[in-house]
Amino acid sequence: MFRGKKYKESAKQIDKAMLYDPQEGLELICKTASAKFDETVELHVKLGVDSRHADQQVRGAIVLPHGTGKTARVLVFAKGDKADAAREAGADFVGDMDLVEKIQKENWFDFDVVVASPDMMGVVGRLGKVLGPKGLMPSPKAGTVTPDVAKAVKEVKAGKVEYRLDKTNIIHCPIGKVSFGAEKLYENYAALLGAIIKAKPAAAKGQYIKSCVAAATMGPGVKMNAAKQL
């Protein structure tokens, strides 16, 4: 795999064999970030569970103390008063069948999060095949299927992130931007990791957190000592 000169320079400053104290690791990420844009810092947490089993799923959502540094575009499926409340709360798109048709006919996906009131799930269900693979299908666990759509919109706008296992039993989640600095990134990191630990399934056996790596968009991964987090 070809790596650019800046990446190689950054990589030289990071000891691949070392487990960094989280604050030290995040300081290193901020120091070595070299892109011309404000890079996103992502956390990748490998868990000792098997995502193929329903009783070992790990999924939820948390409002990060300092947000993600990006304002998410929110689409809400709701009618009547709930639709009005969603608009007032700052939803970017609000509708019902009209939005279903727009997504189906125009292959339109100019949004980051989908929220739905429970009475709309019959309609939203028709989009399962297109929203599901993109991780956009609303769910009660993530707080995106709720009677209080206005509250859900406000939380998403405040920096709520959803975490969920992928097929390789890893959770990938943004914890902010390099410009936040190490302290704010650490507070977001601790909040997210704390939520993942709390969400440990009863069926999980052995070591729960196998590895924890943080990286900026264009930078190398830094291994974190997850046992030292909170």
Side-chain angles (χ1 to χ4, degrees), residues 7 40-41 47 64 92 95 99 116 132 144-145 159 170 177 187 194 220 226:
Y7 179 97
T40 295
V41 179
L47 298 180
L64 295 174
D92 300 85
L99 290 178
T144 44
V145 175
I170 298 174
K177 300 278 186 184
E187 286 173 19

Side-chain angles (χ1 to χ4, degrees), residues 17-92:
M18 185 169 165
L19 267 186
Y20 285 90
D21 181 271
Q23 271 167 308
E24 192 189 338
L26 291 164
E27 272 166 24
L28 202 51
I29 286 169
C30 293
K31 196 173 89 180
T32 58
S34 56
K36 287 191 171 73
F37 61 93
D38 192 7
E39 296 176 60
T40 295
V41 179
E42 274 217 343
L43 194 63
H44 309 276
V45 186
K46 186 167 178 63
L47 298 180
V49 295
D50 188 342
S51 62
R52 292 171 302 178
H53 298 293
D55 63 352
Q56 292 188 40
Q57 287 298 326
V58 179
R59 182 176 183 180
I62 179 173
V63 178
L64 295 174
H66 302 288
T68 61
K70 177 190 171 193
T71 304
R73 297 163 300 173
V74 187
L75 181 152
V76 178
F77 286 104
K79 285 180 181 171
D81 293 350
K82 286 190 173 75
D84 295 338
R87 285 187 193 96
E88 273 178 41
D92 300 85

